[in-house]
Amino acid sequence: MSNNLEYRIVKPGKPLSDFVDSFWFLRNLSDADKDTTGLPDGLIDILLFKSATQPFSIAQLGGLTQFEQAKVSANSVIFCISFKLLAVEYIFGEAIADIVNGGRFLPEGYWGFTENDLLDFDCFVEKATQKIRSLIPEGIDERKRKLFELIYLTKGRITVKELSEKAFWSSRQINRYFNQQFGISLKAYCNILRFRASLEHIADGRLFPEENFFDQNHFIKEVKKFSGVVPKELSKNKNDRFILLSAIRQK
């Protein structure tokens, strides 16, 4: 990642990892806006944001299925919690179907967060962890827990039929749940996770299918659909345009 962009990611342990994928921050230390392309990763984000020209704000983003051109503002900082889909029902308590490729601003003081929480990332992670722990309910539908466990374990490389059989939940009910809660089908979500997993290989310069794509043409088509470019161009990642790919490379 360029010298003007600072990035760090922290992965949670159990029981948070059933609901939270990661905590991360991104700083643009330069005096110029940074052009980027956001890639779909199948996660829901809670963002704390501030820049030299934009006041502190908190937002929820549901960019699950599409790439998006965006700017990282000059002299800005973003702290983020990236949630897995199980959090939608059990942590947020409301569907995200209406913001599947959009977002919404959250009220001032949401979860007790303030502008001061942007001063120390480790303190932010601890505060967020305690808040999320307090929201985890005692009773969770084991079919849903098993369903998401299998989806993430296989990185989307599993059929709806297999998921139905292993989670003891009918395919029809699963798809109804996905469409009502998340605004996408289970199959579409698995395709996104498979694309996300392929970024690990593309970051290493391996520009051929390794995630159960039918063939090279199918792989290229799917990568272009979710990123806007073919695998070769994505791998070049000029000027750290694809920040998610840059973050994978610096692991």
Side-chain angles (χ1 to χ4, degrees):
M1 198 168 289
S2 71
N3 292 334
N4 290 326
L5 291 179
E6 182 182 2
Y7 178 87
R8 181 182 164 200
I9 186 170
V10 172
K11 291 283 189 176
K14 288 284 190 177
L16 252 66
S17 58
D18 286 337
F19 306 92
V20 176
D21 174 81
S22 59
F23 304 93
W24 55 267
F25 78 76
L26 177 68
R27 287 193 179 95
N28 182 357
L29 303 172
S30 76
D31 295 325
D33 294 345
K34 168 72 176 176
D35 290 321
T36 67
T37 299
L39 301 175
D41 57 10
L43 303 172
I44 308 300
D45 293 335
I46 297 291
L47 295 175
L48 280 65
F49 172 83
K50 182 186 177 184
S51 76
T53 58
Q54 295 170 290
F56 173 74
S57 60
I58 307 174
Q60 181 183 41
L61 302 182
L64 289 178
T65 68
Q66 299 176 355
F67 67 89
E68 182 178 6
Q69 309 297 334
K71 288 184 181 293
V72 178
S73 299
N75 300 302
S76 64
V77 57
I78 300 170
F79 283 10
C80 180
I81 314 167
S82 289
F83 289 90
K84 298 177 180 178
L85 291 195
L86 193 62
V88 171
E89 179 178 359
Y90 290 104
I91 302 298
F92 303 141
E94 59 180 340
I96 58 150
D98 59 332
I99 61 163
V100 64
N101 284 308
R104 54 190 165 212
F105 285 106
L106 297 172
E108 183 178 348
Y110 183 80
W111 283 3
F113 288 129
T114 69
E115 185 174 341
N116 288 336
D117 289 307
L118 291 174
L119 298 175
D120 189 305
F121 181 64
D122 290 320
C123 289
F124 163 76
V125 171
E126 179 60 28
K127 182 175 181 176
T129 296
Q130 293 305 316
K131 178 61 180 180
I132 297 165
R133 281 181 181 272
S134 74
L135 295 173
I136 297 175
E138 292 185 8
I140 296 175
D141 189 328
E142 285 303 315
R143 297 174 306 169
K144 295 172 182 176
R145 191 194 295 274
K146 182 66 174 178
L147 174 73
F148 285 111
E149 182 181 278
L150 290 166
I151 290 172
Y152 293 124
L153 183 64
T154 61
K155 300 179 181 178
R157 295 171 298 187
I158 188 169
T159 66
V160 176
K161 181 180 178 182
E162 288 177 286
L163 284 167
S164 174
E165 292 172 348
K166 293 181 178 180
F168 302 103
W169 199 9
S170 76
S171 299
R172 183 178 178 182
Q173 289 175 320
I174 292 173
N175 273 310
R176 184 186 301 119
Y177 173 70
F178 259 73
N179 282 300
Q180 289 177 347
Q181 285 285 324
F182 317 123
I184 60 173
S185 70
L186 171 58
K187 183 178 180 180
Y189 187 66
C190 285
N191 287 342
I192 292 162
L193 293 187
R194 186 177 60 181
F195 161 75
R196 171 62 179 81
S198 74
L199 294 178
E200 304 281 347
H201 309 302
I202 292 172
D204 289 337
R206 287 142 55 192
L207 307 181
F208 47 86
E210 298 187 36
E211 300 294 337
N212 287 6
F213 294 97
F214 297 130
D215 53 31
Q216 183 73 15
N217 287 335
H218 181 231
F219 171 64
I220 292 172
K221 183 179 178 180
E222 287 292 286
V223 169
K224 188 172 183 179
K225 180 175 78 171
F226 289 123
S227 70
V229 297
V230 298
K232 186 176 182 179
E233 185 177 346
L234 182 60
S235 178
K236 290 179 181 177
N237 196 16
K238 291 182 179 179
N239 301 316
D240 286 312
R241 172 183 165 192
F242 301 99
I243 291 177
L244 177 58
L245 193 63
S246 301
I248 290 171
R249 280 180 169 153
Q250 75 173 37
K251 286 182 180 179

